[in-house]
Amino acid sequence: MKTKLSMAMAILLVQLVMGQEMDPNKMADYQNTIMIEQLDLSDSQKEQVKAINLKYSKKQAALLNKEGSMFSKMGDMKKIKKAKNEELEEVLSKEQMEIFENEIEPEMRKQMKRQRGS
């Protein structure tokens, strides 16, 4: 499963690094796949998580596709992440949220750093 997570995030992050416009539907699809596989979501949770991922992927894509440096966008990205996590806390169990925050999100950050060459 970690390989699938890494591959999905690598593809998504390559688009980001290469400056291509981000497709919020693709972003949400990747997040949905990873979360469904890693968090053992119920049918109800799957639908709610899909809606949340799409909502925030649209916000992230709009921000990323705007002119400006990544540095100038970091504050807004953090606000989007915080709001998304607050909504996810309403849907996911405490255990699922811990896995999301402690395993899934850090892996996304690692992939981004690798793609940037840091």
Side-chain angles (χ1 to χ4, degrees):
M1 275 193 256
K2 292 230 180 219
T3 303
K4 288 181 185 178
L5 171 67
S6 296
M7 286 177 42
M9 291 312 304
I11 292 168
L12 181 64
L13 295 171
V14 165
Q15 288 180 327
L16 177 83
V17 171
M18 299 199 60
Q20 297 176 1
E21 286 209 4
M22 299 302 296
D23 179 342
N25 294 309
K26 287 182 183 178
M27 288 172 66
D29 287 344
Y30 288 130
Q31 293 169 11
N32 295 335
T33 300
I34 293 163
M35 292 176 76
I36 289 168
E37 287 178 2
Q38 302 248 338
L39 299 177
D40 191 32
L41 301 176
S42 69
D43 289 340
S44 174
Q45 285 177 312
K46 287 176 189 176
E47 294 308 311
Q48 293 174 342
V49 165
K50 285 178 182 180
I52 292 168
N53 284 335
L54 183 58
K55 174 182 176 179
Y56 288 98
S57 290
K58 287 180 179 179
K59 289 182 180 198
Q60 289 173 327
L63 180 61
L64 292 172
N65 290 333
K66 286 171 55 175
E67 291 292 321
S69 70
M70 280 301 290
F71 183 76
S72 68
K73 299 173 186 177
M74 287 178 67
D76 289 333
M77 289 297 287
K78 286 182 182 183
K79 289 177 188 174
I80 292 169
K81 178 185 176 273
K82 183 177 189 270
K84 177 181 177 180
N85 284 1
E86 288 173 357
E87 283 195 42
L88 286 172
E89 286 175 351
E90 299 295 320
V91 174
L92 302 177
S93 69
K94 188 175 270 190
E95 294 80 18
Q96 289 169 321
M97 196 65 200
E98 286 177 11
I99 292 168
F100 178 74
E101 291 178 329
N102 297 324
E103 295 178 26
I104 295 172
E105 283 186 322
E107 185 62 29
M108 290 178 192
R109 283 191 296 275
K110 283 184 201 174
Q111 286 295 331
M112 185 174 286
K113 285 181 182 180
R114 284 185 203 131
Q115 292 300 323
R116 287 186 189 161
S118 300

